[in-house]
Structures are given as C-alpha cells and as structure tokens.
C-alpha cells in the first residue's frame, strides 16, 4: 500500500521532525510512505474572510497538484467522521482489498482546507472537536497509520 500525507507548511520543530522520522522508519517495512509538504501562503496575522478564502484556495491548489488521480483521498477536517484506531485499520484494509492501494491523507494549513480539496476527497476524517496545530497533526496521523497497520497484521503495537 502507498500512503501519502500531503500537508501545508514545512515542519520546523525538531521534536516533530524526529517523531515523524521515527514513525516513517517503523512504517517502512509495511507501506510505501510519501510525505509531501507544500508551501503555506504568506498572509498577515489578521485577514478578512475573503483573504482567508484566497489563502485556502492557493494552498489547496498546491495540495491537489501533489495527489495522483488514482489516489483515494481522506481529508482531515473538523467536520469529518470520528474513527477509532480499529476503524482506521478497517478502512485501510478495505481500500487495499478493493484495489485502492494509494491513499492520500490531506492536512490543511492554519486556515483549513479549500473547498476544491474537500470536493476531491472521498472521505473526511476528524480526530475530534479540539483544534490541533496542523504540524502536530502529521505526527498524530502517522502514529495512527502505524497503529492501523499493526492492527491489520495482527502484530503487537510497539510502544
């Protein structure tokens, strides 16, 4: 299976870079993993709703350009479905079983995802109603993908 995580912004914090590298290493024997970063749009701290929409649109265009046409897209969104780790494992297993072996998870920037990205997504996933920094979300998502792979293989989770 090919798992892609496409996200807005470059990781800066060392602890996040190290954590992501650790889970990427753990996933290596099981999946082909692609981590894609697109530039976030430069914008002032305070913006009008119209300016925020433009930022989302530009970042969305960059994200969509990285996703292959045959990818099954799962957008991370506050209004997405709530899945347990077992639900995620089941979703990935089902996608692989039915020939959808390229799964792209998409994480927006601080202003969220563009409507075009949400339209391209076949599913929307939420990790809860709390807002998490989009950079931290990459690490949380990778950990959950690793956990899902271990669940599907019937292997113990390495803590």
């Amino acid at each position: 299976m090919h798992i892609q995580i496409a996200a807005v912004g470059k990781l800066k914090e060392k602890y996040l870079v190290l954590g992501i590298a650790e889970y990427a290493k753990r996933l290596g024997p099981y999946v082909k993993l692609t981590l894609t970063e697109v530039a976030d749009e430069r914008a002032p701290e305070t913006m009008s709703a119209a300016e925020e929409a433009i930022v989302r649109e530009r970042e969305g265009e960059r994200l969509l350009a990285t996703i292959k046409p045959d990818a099954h897209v799962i957008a991370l969104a506050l209004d997405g479905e709530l899945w347990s780790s077992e639900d995620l494992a089941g979703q990935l297993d089902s996608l692989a079983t039915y020939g959808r072996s390229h799964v792209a998870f998409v994480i927006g920037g601080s202003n969220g995802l563009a409507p075009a990205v949400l339209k391209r997504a076949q599913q929307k996933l939420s990790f809860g109603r709390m807002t998490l920094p989009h950079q931290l979300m990459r690490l949380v998502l990778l950990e959950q993908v690793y956990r899902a792979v271990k669940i599907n293989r019937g292997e113990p989770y390495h803590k």
Side-chain angles (χ1 to χ4, degrees):
M1 177 165 256
H2 180 191
I3 302 286
Q4 175 185 9
I5 297 178
V8 173
K10 181 162 179 56
L11 282 179
K12 299 171 189 111
E13 292 83 2
K14 186 176 180 180
Y15 74 96
L16 291 174
V17 172
L18 292 172
I20 287 170
E22 175 62 27
Y23 282 105
K25 181 179 83 175
R26 290 183 188 188
L27 279 164
Y30 306 111
V31 301
K32 178 182 179 197
L33 179 65
T34 304
L35 302 172
T36 308
E37 293 179 339
V38 301
D40 50 353
E41 189 68 18
R42 290 189 179 264
E45 281 293 317
T46 56
M47 293 182 281
S48 68
E51 290 170 321
E52 283 184 13
I54 291 169
V55 167
R56 278 192 300 274
E57 183 180 316
R58 289 179 180 162
E59 291 173 346
E61 289 168 358
R62 292 182 193 125
L63 286 167
L64 290 172
T66 71
I67 299 170
K68 293 185 179 179
D70 66 336
H72 181 89
V73 177
I74 301 173
L76 273 63
L78 285 174
D79 65 342
E81 294 178 52
L82 295 170
W83 294 345
S84 66
S85 298
E86 292 78 11
D87 291 337
L88 176 59
Q91 291 287 332
L92 294 178
D93 187 52
S94 178
L95 289 167
T97 299
Y98 295 103
R100 300 304 302 253
S101 61
H102 183 163
V103 178
F105 291 93
V106 183
I107 302 172
S110 57
N111 294 301
L113 287 168
V117 175
L118 295 170
K119 184 177 178 184
R120 169 67 177 85
Q122 284 84 7
Q123 293 176 288
K124 291 193 299 184
L125 171 62
S126 174
F127 277 73
R129 291 181 15 206
M130 289 186 198
T131 301
L132 296 172
H134 59 279
Q135 292 186 347
L136 177 60
M137 199 62 238
R138 294 182 214 183
L139 178 59
V140 173
L141 175 60
L142 262 179
E143 187 279 334
Q144 284 298 300
V145 169
Y146 175 69
R147 186 179 297 270
V149 167
K150 297 297 269 184
I151 290 168
N152 285 339
R153 295 180 59 86
E155 295 176 3
Y157 180 78
H158 176 71
K159 295 178 181 174

